[in-house]
Amino acid sequence: MSKVADFGNDLYTGRRGLDYVGRRKVWFLLSGLLLAVCIGSLAFSGLNLGLEFRGGSEFRVSSIADTSGFETRAKDTVETAAAKAGEQAGNVTVTKVGNDSIRVQTEKLADAPTQAVSTALGQEFKVGKDQVSSTFVGPSWGQSVSQQALRALLIFFAIVAVVLAFYFRTWKMAAAALIAMLHDMVITVGLYTLLGFEITPATTIGFLTVLAYSLYDTVVVFDKVKENVRAASHTGRQTFSQAANLAVNQTLVRSINTSMMSVIPVTVVLIVGLLVIGPGVLLDLSLVLLVGILVGAYSSVFIATPVLAMLREHEPAMKEQAKRARRYQDSRGGANFSGTLLADLGQHGTHSSMLDPELAPATAPAGVTAGTTRTDAEAGTGGATSATRPAPGATATRRPTHPAAGEGRRPLHPSVTQGGPRNQPRRVPRSKR
C-alpha cells in the first residue's frame, strides 16, 4: 500500500509520470488513424438505423416454450406469410428478448400481410393470439427525434463554448474542450457503425450523455492546468507545457478512479441486459455509455491538454515565461518534462515538486551546491560525510534565518520559543510577554 501511495505522491509532485504534452504527436497520430477508420466506416457503410428511425413493422411473440432455432424459424415464417399475402417482407431482423420472447422487425407491411404474419408466428411457436403483438412505427417519428437531437447538440456546444471561455478567461480552453468532445462523438458513432450496432433513440440519448461526461473530466483537468499555470507565471520556474503536463499527471489517478467507478456499474447493466433482459432500451443505453466513457477518459488525458498546450505555448507571454523557466532550470542542473528539478528527483520525504534552494541545509560538503541531494553528497565523499556536516575548512555562506526555517518551515513568532521534551514550540506566558 505504501508503494501505491508513494507512486501517487510522485505523480503529484512531478517526480514520475508521462510526458503527455511532449509526445502529443504520437497521441494525435493514434487518434487520427482511429478517426480516419471511423469516418471511412460512416461514409461507406452508413449508420445502422433502428426501426424508430427508418420506419417499419414490429412483431413480438412471448411465452414461447421452445426457442431453439428461433431466428431461422421466425425469418422463414415471416417471409413465407408475407409472400402468401402478396407482399415482400424486406430487411427481416430477429432478436431474442429475455428467455421466452422474440422480436421480429421488417419493412412496412400493409394490414392484410401484418395479420397473416401475426397468425403464422403464433402457429410456428405454438402460442395463442394474445401472445403475438404487432406495431407500426412511421419514419416521421424518427426524423423528428433526429432533428431535436441535432438541435440539442448544437445548443449544447454553443453553451459549453461560452461558459468555458468566460470561466477560464480564454477561448483556447473552450476550443480544446470542444475538439475533445467532437473527437469522442465521432469515434463513438464510428465504432457503432464499424461494429454494426443499431442506432436507436436510447443510443442518441447516450451520445449526449457521453459528451457531458467527457466535458466534466476535461474541465477537471483544465482547472488544475489553470492553477498550475498561474503559479508558474508568478515563480517563473515552469513553462506552460510543463505546468500543463504536471496537471495531467496530478489528476491522472482521479481520472482513472472516476472512469472505473463509472465503467463498473455500466458494464454490469450491459451484461444483465445482454444475458437476462435482452435487446431494449437498457442494453442500447449501457452500450453507448460504456464505449463513450472509455473514449472520453482517453481524450481528456491524451487529447484535450496537448491541444491546449499547442494553442497557447506560442503566445508572447508564454514564450517569455518559457525563457524565464529555462534560465531558472538551466542554472540548477535542468528539469524534467513536468518542471521538477533534476537535483530534486532523488529527494524523498517531501511532497513539493519545486524545492526552494534557499531552504536547503545551511552547510554542505565542499564542491556540493544548493539543490544537491543527500545521496549525491554522500556519493561525492565516499559516503563518509553527511550532507548536513561541513567538510574541514569549508564554510557555507547563507543569509541568516530563523532555526525553524532551515527545514523549510515558516519562522516562529518572536513570542514563541523552542523547548519542551520533544523540542516543540512553547509560547511564553502572557505575564512575561
Side-chain angles (χ1 to χ4, degrees), residues 162-421:
V162 173
V163 171
L164 291 185
F166 275 101
Y167 178 75
F168 291 113
R169 308 289 180 85
T170 173
W171 63 268
K172 294 183 179 180
M173 276 193 169
L178 291 177
I179 290 173
M181 285 194 297
L182 288 173
H183 167 275
D184 298 342
M185 185 176 66
V186 172
I187 290 181
T188 304
V189 176
L191 287 177
Y192 254 70
T193 304
L194 192 63
L195 299 177
F197 295 142
E198 190 177 61
I199 304 295
T200 64
T203 306
T204 305
I205 297 173
F207 287 148
L208 298 177
T209 306
V210 163
L211 293 180
Y213 175 86
S214 174
L215 176 64
Y216 167 74
D217 212 19
T218 300
V219 168
V220 170
V221 178
F222 278 5
D223 199 53
K224 192 63 180 178
V225 171
K226 178 183 177 182
E227 178 184 336
N228 287 359
V229 171
R230 184 189 297 115
S233 64
H234 289 307
T235 62
R237 299 182 179 184
Q238 286 177 302
T239 66
F240 179 89
S241 296
Q242 289 173 339
N245 199 80
L246 178 62
V248 177
N249 282 300
Q250 288 174 330
T251 56
L252 180 63
V253 174
R254 180 205 166 281
S255 297
I256 294 175
N257 291 338
T258 303
S259 300
M260 290 300 101
M261 291 302 100
S262 302
V263 165
I264 291 174
V266 171
T267 303
V268 172
V269 172
L270 179 62
I271 293 175
V272 171
L274 184 63
L275 301 179
V276 180
I277 301 176
V281 175
L282 191 63
L283 182 61
D284 297 338
L285 187 59
S286 59
L287 182 61
V288 68
L289 286 178
L290 179 62
V291 175
I293 287 173
L294 295 176
V295 176
Y298 165 80
S299 69
S300 64
V301 174
F302 294 95
I303 301 299
T305 304
V307 168
L308 175 63
M310 183 180 65
L311 293 175
R312 293 209 59 187
E313 63 186 8
H314 298 294
E315 297 177 1
M318 296 300 106
K319 290 183 178 180
E320 183 61 28
Q321 179 179 330
K323 292 179 182 178
R324 292 172 56 201
R326 296 302 181 193
R327 287 195 298 266
Y328 170 80
Q329 295 168 5
D330 292 342
S331 66
R332 288 160 175 77
N336 67 356
F337 46 76
S338 293
T340 304
L341 298 178
L342 299 180
D344 295 337
L345 293 178
Q347 295 189 6
H348 300 283
T350 176
H351 299 288
S352 175
S353 62
M354 295 182 295
L355 300 178
D356 192 340
E358 293 182 353
L359 300 182
T363 57
V368 179
T369 60
T372 306
T373 63
R374 181 184 179 91
T375 305
D376 295 335
E378 292 177 354
T381 58
T385 305
S386 173
T388 60
R389 185 179 303 165
T395 60
T397 59
R398 185 189 176 196
R399 62 180 177 85
T401 58
H402 192 280
E407 299 177 2
R409 295 180 296 178
R410 294 179 59 185
L412 298 175
H413 192 272
S415 64
V416 179
T417 59
Q418 292 291 121

Side-chain angles (χ1 to χ4, degrees), residues 126-145:
K126 297 180 175 57
V127 297
K129 294 182 179 180
D130 296 339
Q131 306 301 326
V132 182
S133 61
S134 61
T135 57
F136 169 73
V137 179
S140 60
W141 186 87
Q143 293 176 358
S144 176
V145 172

